[in-house]
């Protein structure tokens, strides 16, 4: 079983002669307790081309100290990582192996660096004796395991206690700087060890700087989405909040960019990848759709007076959510563990390494990208016009759903062009998002009504009152009608005049 700990820390340079200042002068720190010295022995694992290190991911097997075992550290934000711990064993635990599969693919991680650290530990306590932070002073010896090259350094690490206030780290840092102790440039011990033993040259090369043409901006956007997709993979496996949604959004943005910017990217190459992205979004979508729908139905029940909650409605909804949720999660995890998913990731890597650029990719972004936005706008206009021409009912519902998908694609195209075009593209994306929101709320109501009808049937068959489910059905029907009335006004404000007003296109 793996345990997770949120790690918030700062690192500082030191030498054997560095003396710590009096940290009880830091506001809130009443006592500094010396916890002695611990000898730590850690072996860091990675692929031969250091894919984990390139993604700021750390995997190690450590002995010594009170947390011996396997540790996987995943970046959350600068100075913040989630550390997933597993008990000490000879082989890499399957749980941790799964969390890095999107990076390692079919390559087995192997020992790369060994770090021996002599650690002096000091606990910073408040007036009640509650730990606020842990300050460690480490004398480190790094050894490359392929050629034996070594490096030595001293450093100071300050880690916030669980549920601590990050502002305390700023205060401690201020006190250390006054004592002449500067912040470290290295984000982690491993990064420093790789650099000082010459292994950092194996890191994946940084993406090229934008060259100013349309192709470079589109490729930059694609790289960002691939990075997001890979970054949210462990969160989906760990069932962290919003991870499924964010990973699904990355897949959709990639697929939309392939289609919107077909003048830049050759669709004979991108279409097959787009179909695989569609598959992945569908596998992830089951979990996300259940999550969104359950939240909407819970909110609907919560908005009703108690006198209108007839029968065990909350319990029935919990049963429905649990049944749908567990199956949806299994489906998502099965997809992430499949060879098909790994093949998709490899195809995305290949596309970025050797992009299928068309002739117009070399054109100026101010000329090429707006045409893609206007084309998506025209496609959306046709679909909205068709939807509004239909009478209320199932056919209009389906047409509005098709328009919603077109609005989302136009929005993503605008977001992709923002860095190149600036305000006009930002404005376009914002207006498309407003249209998407109205259409999305309408579609959510359509889906909710289908589910409410099923819940009402189940309740009736069990001898329960179906009144509450019928009441919610009527409210969703009214909400959908309101969105249909709202749509013409929102759409009228979404005309892409801003693109031309600012001399773009």
């Amino acid at each position: 079983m793996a345990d997770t700990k949120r790690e918030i820390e700062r690192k500082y340079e030191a030498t054997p002669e560095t003396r710590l200042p009096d940290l009880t002068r830091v506001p809130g720190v009443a006592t500094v307790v010396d916890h002695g010295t611990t000898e730590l022995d850690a072996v860091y694992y990675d692929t031969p081309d250091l894919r984990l290190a390139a993604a700021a991911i750390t995997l190690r097997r450590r002995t010594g100290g009170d947390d011996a075992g396997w540790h996987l550290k995943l970046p959350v934000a600068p100075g913040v990582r989630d550390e997933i711990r597993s008990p000490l064993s000879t082989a890499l635990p399957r749980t941790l192996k799964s969390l890095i599969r999107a990076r390692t693919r079919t390559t087995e991680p192997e020992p790369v660096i060994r770090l021996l650290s002599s650690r002096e530990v000091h606990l910073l306590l408040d007036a009640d004796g509650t730990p606020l932070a842990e300050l460690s002073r480490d004398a480190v010896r790094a050894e490359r395991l392929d050629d034996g090259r070594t490096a030595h350094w001293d450093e100071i690490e300050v880690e916030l206690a669980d549920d601590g206030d990050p502002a305390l780290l700023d205060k401690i840092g201020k006190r250390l700087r006054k004592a002449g102790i500067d912040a470290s440039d290295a984000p982690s011990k491993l990064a420093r060890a790789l650099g000082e033993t010459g292994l950092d040259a194996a890191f994946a090369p940084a993406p090229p700087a934008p060259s100013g043409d349309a192709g470079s901006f589109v490729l930059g956007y694609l790289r960002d989405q691939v990075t997001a997709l890979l970054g949210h993979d462990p969160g989906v496996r760990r069932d962290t909040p919003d991870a499924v949604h964010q990973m699904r959004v990355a897949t959709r943005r990639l697929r939309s960019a392939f289609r919107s910017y077909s003048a830049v990217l050759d669709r004979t190459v991108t279409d097959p990848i787009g179909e695989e992205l569609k598959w992945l979004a569908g596998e992830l979508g089951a979990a996300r759709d259940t999550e969104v729908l359950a939240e909407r139905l819970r909110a609907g029940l919560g908005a009703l007076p108690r006198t209108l909650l007839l029968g065990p409605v909350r319990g029935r909804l919990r049963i429905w959510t649990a049944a749908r949720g567990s199956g949806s999660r299994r489906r998502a995890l099965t997809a992430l563990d499949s060879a098909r998913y790994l093949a998709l990731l490899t195809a995305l890597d290949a596309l970025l390494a050797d992009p299928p650029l068309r002739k117009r990719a070399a054109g100026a972004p101010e000329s090429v990208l707006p045409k893609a936005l206007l084309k998506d706008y025209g496609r959306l206009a046709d679909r909205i016009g068709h939807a509004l021409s239909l009478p209320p009912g199932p056919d209009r519902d389906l047409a509005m759903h098709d328009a919603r998908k077109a609005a989302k694609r136009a929005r993503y195209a605008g977001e992709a062009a923002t860095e190149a075009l600036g305000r006009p593209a930002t404005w376009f994306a914002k207006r498309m998002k407003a249209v998407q929101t109205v259409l999305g709320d309408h579609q959510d109501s359509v889906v909710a009504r289908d589910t409410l009808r099923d819940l009402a049937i189940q309740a009736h068959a069990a001898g329960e009152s179906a009144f509450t489910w019928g009441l919610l059905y009527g409210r969703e029907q009214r909400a959908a009608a309101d969105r249909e009335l709202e749509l013409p006004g929102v759409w009228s404000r979404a005309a892409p005049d801003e693109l031309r007003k600012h001399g773009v296109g």
Side-chain angles (χ1 to χ4, degrees):
M1 180 66 69
D3 297 320
T4 300
K5 180 180 183 296
R6 178 60 56 88
E7 180 184 83
I8 304 176
E9 64 181 18
R10 307 274 176 85
K11 292 184 179 293
Y12 299 87
E13 298 287 350
T15 68
E17 290 74 35
T18 299
R19 300 186 61 176
L20 292 175
D22 181 5
L23 295 174
T24 60
R25 297 181 62 181
V26 174
V29 178
T31 312
V32 178
V33 178
D34 186 349
H35 263 232
T37 301
T38 301
E39 302 301 323
L40 305 174
D41 186 346
V43 176
Y44 289 75
Y45 287 68
D46 208 330
T47 59
D49 54 356
L50 301 181
R51 294 178 216 161
L52 299 182
I57 295 172
T58 297
L59 174 64
R60 72 187 178 199
R61 182 183 185 275
R62 190 166 79 179
T63 58
D66 57 6
D67 63 346
W70 287 89
H71 304 160
L72 175 65
K73 298 190 180 187
L74 302 171
V76 176
V80 182
R81 295 187 291 183
D82 277 347
E83 182 176 277
I84 300 99
R85 300 174 178 175
S86 192
L88 195 63
S89 61
T90 303
L92 173 62
R94 287 170 52 188
T95 303
L96 302 189
K97 189 174 183 178
S98 171
L99 293 176
I100 58 174
R101 183 170 290 122
R103 304 286 182 177
T104 60
R105 315 282 167 83
T106 58
T107 303
E108 288 292 327
E110 59 186 39
V112 175
I113 288 280
R114 184 184 185 189
L115 294 184
L116 301 173
S117 302
S118 182
R119 168 166 291 183
E120 299 175 10
V121 180
H122 305 269
L123 284 183
L124 280 57
L125 312 177
D126 66 10
D128 296 326
T130 301
L132 300 174
E134 179 180 289
L135 184 147
S136 303
R137 179 171 178 159
D138 295 341
V140 185
R141 179 183 184 275
E143 178 186 356
R144 243 173 91 163
L145 297 180
D146 58 350
D147 64 6
R149 230 182 299 183
T150 62
H152 302 79
W153 71 88
D154 285 60
E155 69 177 36
I156 292 170
E157 180 179 293
V158 183
E159 182 176 343
L160 197 64
D162 292 344
D163 301 320
D165 182 0
L168 176 66
L169 294 182
D170 294 332
K171 297 173 185 176
I172 295 172
K174 183 178 180 180
R175 181 67 181 149
L176 292 175
R177 286 193 300 275
K178 283 186 176 181
I181 300 173
D182 296 325
S184 173
D185 292 331
S188 66
K189 283 186 176 66
L190 176 61
R192 183 163 185 171
L194 294 174
E196 297 203 9
T197 61
L199 262 175
D200 56 343
F203 272 74
S211 60
D213 57 35
S216 68
F217 284 101
V218 172
L219 287 174
Y221 179 78
L222 295 180
R223 287 190 190 93
D224 290 344
Q225 302 317 311
V226 172
T227 298
L229 190 155
L230 290 169
H232 290 295
D233 175 291
V236 174
R237 297 176 189 273
R238 296 166 58 206
D239 201 19
T240 57
D242 209 35
V244 168
H245 172 59
Q246 294 300 332
M247 189 174 185
R248 191 184 185 191
V249 166
T251 66
R252 286 177 163 174
R253 283 177 169 156
L254 282 165
R255 187 163 175 257
S256 291
F258 291 163
R259 293 185 167 191
S260 295
Y261 295 106
S262 58
V264 174
L265 299 165
D266 185 351
R267 286 192 62 171
T268 63
V269 177
T270 61
D271 276 358
I273 300 175
E275 285 303 306
E276 292 303 283
L277 288 167
K278 181 181 179 180
W279 161 77
L280 178 59
E283 299 304 292
L284 296 171
R288 174 60 180 171
D289 291 344
T290 297
E291 181 183 310
V292 171
L293 181 54
E295 184 178 339
R296 186 180 184 97
L297 297 182
R298 281 193 295 268
L301 291 176
L304 293 177
R306 285 175 176 266
T307 54
L308 298 181
L309 299 178
L310 305 186
V313 289
R314 294 189 187 279
R316 180 158 294 282
L317 180 57
R318 280 195 296 270
I319 292 171
W320 177 88
T321 302
R324 287 280 298 269
S326 60
S328 299
R329 175 157 173 76
R330 283 195 300 272
R331 180 175 169 183
L333 293 179
T334 298
L336 296 189
D337 285 336
S338 69
R340 185 175 181 178
Y341 172 61
L342 297 186
L344 168 59
L345 297 182
T346 300
L348 289 170
D349 287 346
L351 181 141
L352 294 177
D354 185 18
L357 298 175
R358 300 184 66 187
K359 185 176 180 180
R360 294 190 65 189
E366 295 82 2
S367 172
V368 176
L369 304 187
K371 293 178 181 177
L373 304 189
L374 294 172
K375 183 178 179 181
D376 278 351
Y377 174 84
R379 179 169 171 270
L380 174 59
D382 289 343
R383 294 195 180 188
I384 287 183
H386 174 61
L388 294 178
S389 72
L390 297 172
D395 288 343
R396 175 182 269 197
D397 291 344
L398 182 59
M400 291 186 71
H401 181 45
D402 287 341
R404 175 199 187 188
K405 290 186 283 187
K408 185 177 294 186
R409 174 169 154 180
R411 170 196 166 189
Y412 290 159
E415 291 174 349
T418 296
E419 184 177 354
L421 305 182
R423 179 180 171 184
T426 301
W427 182 93
F428 179 84
K430 181 179 179 181
R431 293 299 184 185
M432 294 302 103
K433 182 179 180 180
V435 175
Q436 176 196 332
T437 298
V438 173
L439 293 168
D441 285 347
H442 182 275
Q443 175 63 14
D444 289 347
S445 178
V446 172
V447 174
R449 275 181 278 158
D450 288 342
T451 301
L452 287 167
R453 183 178 181 277
D454 290 342
L455 287 168
I457 292 171
Q458 294 170 18
H460 179 74
E464 303 164 8
S465 171
F467 170 82
T468 302
W469 304 119
L471 179 59
L472 290 181
Y473 186 99
R475 290 193 169 196
E476 289 291 356
Q477 201 168 34
R478 179 69 260 176
D482 288 343
R483 299 292 79 75
E484 292 178 22
L485 291 173
E486 184 182 357
L487 179 59
V490 174
W491 175 241
S492 68
R493 295 189 292 273
D497 298 336
E498 189 79 2
L499 287 171
R500 298 187 181 90
K501 188 185 300 181
H502 287 81
V504 178

